[in-house]
Amino acid sequence: MSRGRGVAGASWPPPARRFRGLEGTALTGSSATADASRALTSRELVWPGQVRKAAAGEGAMGTVHARSLEPLPSNGPDFGALGEEAEFVEVEPEAKQEILENKDVVVQHVHFDGLGRTRDDIIMCEIGDVFKARNLIEVMRKSHEAREKLLRLGIFRQVDVLIDTCQGDDALPNGLDVTFEVTELRRLTGSYNTMVGNNEGSMVLGLKLPNLLGRAEKVTFQFSYGTKETSYGLSFFKPQPGNFERNFSVNLYKVTGQFPWSSLRETDRGVSTEYSFPIWKTSHTVKWEGVWRELGCLSRTASFAVRKESGHSLKSSLSHAMVIDSRNSSILPRRGALLKVNQELAGYTGGDVSFLKEDFELQLNKQLVLDSVFSASLWGGMLVPVGEKPSSIADRFYLGGPTSVRGFSMHSIGPQSEGLSCPRAVHR
């Protein structure tokens, strides 16, 4: 038995015509018959939000069995020869197939097969534009965009789309039905892997609870046990229905890092909250972070300047980040530009660390001849302590290495203390 919920919109005449796929090519209507058999859970969304039960088999989209439009041959090995006295029936030529590219249509219903714990309101936010389509090509394009939005939510393993003529008592002469066949992710998924690198080996365990409350919420837990450090993180992610770029997250973590260029070990235990939102062509993130930091020496050969920085500190900071990214790829871009600007203010919300920190990153990419790309990047920052207390070594800037200035050892540019990198504190 199938159950359904639906969304209202528009229609097409009930002849047996079926359109399948979102390849973007013009589809022509040809005679077809369909077996309406479906055992999946089905929901039909009724615009603008009225929910009704669908009758068993209503709106079901079965396998398409297309009939040939050409008359059968009068002879041949499969049919045998016809005698001269055989009566021929004149076959009327088929009417010219109608191309529906420019024909006005209305999306009357949108069906969902396979929904379980996902709520209707978040689904309607993602597929609302489908009802605004006014011709077949536009229906296909907006259905494809809706499919991409549904996959971006991270709650479905697979999403397929089927477009069909509308059938039933309420079918309009130009109505269409759109069916989304979805497969939800499991309530709990896990992973484990091992990593080897930087003279260290570690084992990483992860757990994820996708679509926790039915509106694309996600809880993630990760635990890493290594030969040099152990860390864990627990996060909760909640997007705004209809606007995935506008989201909220909470993180709880413990991270231990070793920095041999300064003979320094740092252990951070903290909590942070983030709110991300887009404005025009920019994306913004506002963040509060509270972290208890423990600094120590890696070896007995650590310099006196590093030993002075050892101990505990509590940092509470507010930060804002803005990103403008027009690159065609974030890994190997061939064209476009990237601009990141970040500001952080610590000390005004508590803690014993006070500073104002500004940094930016600029990257330009231009495609040249012979499949070559010209890329240039610039990075810089400023750290100004607030009050009489100098800044911490954990907050200062480092230069050198493959991620900043190539040709130098990791963080080897700048002040040194007994052969170790030790950026100097800046006073007002």
Side-chain angles (χ1 to χ4, degrees):
M1 177 154 319
S2 64
R3 56 187 178 87
R5 288 186 268 183
V7 187
S11 195
W12 229 108
R17 295 184 181 177
R18 191 175 297 268
F19 310 96
R20 188 181 185 91
L22 293 175
E23 318 314 330
T25 56
L27 301 182
T28 60
S30 59
S31 300
T33 59
D35 297 328
S37 59
R38 189 175 303 278
L40 295 174
T41 301
S42 175
R43 296 187 189 179
E44 180 190 357
L45 304 179
V46 184
W47 195 258
Q50 300 173 350
V51 179
R52 68 176 179 84
K53 290 284 186 178
E58 178 183 348
M61 322 280 276
T63 306
V64 176
H65 305 283
R67 297 197 300 253
S68 173
L69 298 180
E70 301 296 332
L72 294 177
S74 58
N75 52 40
D78 296 333
F79 299 92
L82 295 177
E84 295 180 356
E85 58 278 0
E87 182 179 358
F88 286 89
V89 178
E90 184 178 358
V91 179
E92 295 182 3
E94 286 283 340
K96 186 177 181 179
Q97 297 184 12
E98 185 177 20
I99 300 178
L100 300 177
E101 291 184 36
N102 301 318
K103 185 173 182 64
D104 291 337
V105 298
V106 181
V107 178
Q108 188 165 355
H109 302 96
V110 172
H111 302 269
F112 273 82
D113 289 346
L115 285 182
R117 60 187 183 276
T118 305
R119 303 298 180 92
D120 288 342
D121 53 354
I122 191 170
I123 292 295
M124 283 195 259
C125 290
E126 302 300 332
I127 58 94
D129 288 343
V130 176
F131 293 100
K132 301 177 182 179
R134 290 297 175 261
N135 57 64
L136 180 61
I137 297 302
E138 195 173 349
V139 170
M140 296 169 62
R141 180 174 59 84
K142 290 188 178 295
S143 297
H144 176 72
E145 292 173 356
R147 176 180 178 271
E148 295 298 317
K149 291 180 181 179
L150 292 171
L151 289 172
R152 184 184 57 177
L153 292 176
I155 60 178
F156 299 117
R157 180 181 296 108
Q158 184 176 356
V159 178
D160 296 321
V161 185
L162 186 65
I163 302 175
D164 192 13
T165 55
C166 186
Q167 301 181 12
D169 297 337
D170 60 344
L172 300 177
N174 63 335
L176 291 179
D177 281 352
V178 179
T179 296
F180 290 87
E181 299 178 354
V182 301
T183 303
E184 291 183 340
L185 292 175
R186 297 178 180 177
R187 292 182 179 271
L188 177 65
T189 61
S191 64
Y192 66 92
N193 57 73
T194 57
M195 296 187 297
V196 178
N198 297 327
N199 298 321
E200 178 186 9
S202 62
M203 178 181 65
V204 181
L205 302 177
L207 292 176
K208 183 185 297 184
L209 286 78
N211 205 16
L212 183 64
L213 304 177
R215 292 184 174 89
E217 303 89 353
K218 179 173 62 177
V219 174
T220 305
F221 175 75
Q222 190 172 47
F223 176 80
S224 174
Y225 178 79
T227 56
K228 294 183 179 180
E229 61 180 63
T230 300
S231 61
Y232 61 82
L234 177 66
S235 66
F236 173 78
F237 175 82
K238 174 71 173 69
Q240 176 181 324
N243 193 341
F244 189 78
E245 289 81 8
R246 194 180 296 269
N247 54 73
F248 174 78
S249 63
V250 180
N251 305 282
L252 177 69
Y253 61 89
K254 175 197 170 185
V255 178
T256 301
Q258 296 186 0
F259 312 101
W261 49 84
S262 296
S263 190
L264 182 70
R265 175 190 289 111
E266 179 180 354
T267 301
D268 293 348
R269 302 173 180 88
V271 60
S272 67
T273 60
E274 298 182 19
Y275 181 65
S276 301
F277 56 95
I279 296 180
W280 194 45
K281 295 183 179 181
T282 65
S283 60
H284 299 257
T285 301
V286 178
K287 177 180 179 181
W288 172 82
E289 181 180 30
V291 55
W292 168 29
R293 304 184 297 187
E294 181 182 357
L295 302 179
C297 299
L298 276 179
S299 65
R300 296 181 180 180
T301 59
S303 65
F304 181 74
V306 172
R307 293 176 184 273
K308 273 181 31 177
E309 300 283 347
S310 299
H312 298 265
S313 64
L314 181 63
K315 184 183 81 169
S316 176
S317 66
L318 293 171
S319 63
H320 167 259
M322 182 192 72
V323 179
I324 303 175
D325 192 355
S326 62
R327 299 174 299 173
N328 65 322
S329 172
S330 59
I331 302 176
L332 293 174
R334 303 179 65 86
R335 60 182 180 275
L338 169 70
L339 174 63
K340 290 183 179 180
V341 180
N342 184 76
Q343 306 93 30
E344 183 180 7
L345 178 63
Y348 281 86
T349 55
D352 57 1
V353 177
S354 300
F355 62 84
L356 174 63
K357 189 175 184 179
E358 299 270 351
D359 63 89
F360 72 92
E361 179 183 355
L362 177 64
Q363 183 184 113
L364 300 175
N365 303 278
K366 178 68 176 178
Q367 188 169 3
L368 304 177
V369 296
L370 300 177
D371 211 21
S372 59
V373 178
F374 172 78
S375 179
S377 60
L378 177 65
W379 175 82
M382 176 184 68
L383 175 65
V384 179
V386 177
E388 300 299 328
K389 189 174 181 180
S391 61
S392 171
I393 191 174
D395 299 313
R396 298 171 199 158
F397 295 104
Y398 293 85
L399 281 177
T403 59
S404 58
V405 182
R406 297 184 179 181
F408 291 85
S409 300
M410 182 66 73
H411 297 169
S412 62
I413 301 177
Q416 304 283 319
S417 177
E418 301 179 21
L420 298 174
S421 177
C422 184
R424 293 193 182 96
V426 178
H427 296 273
R428 293 186 63 181

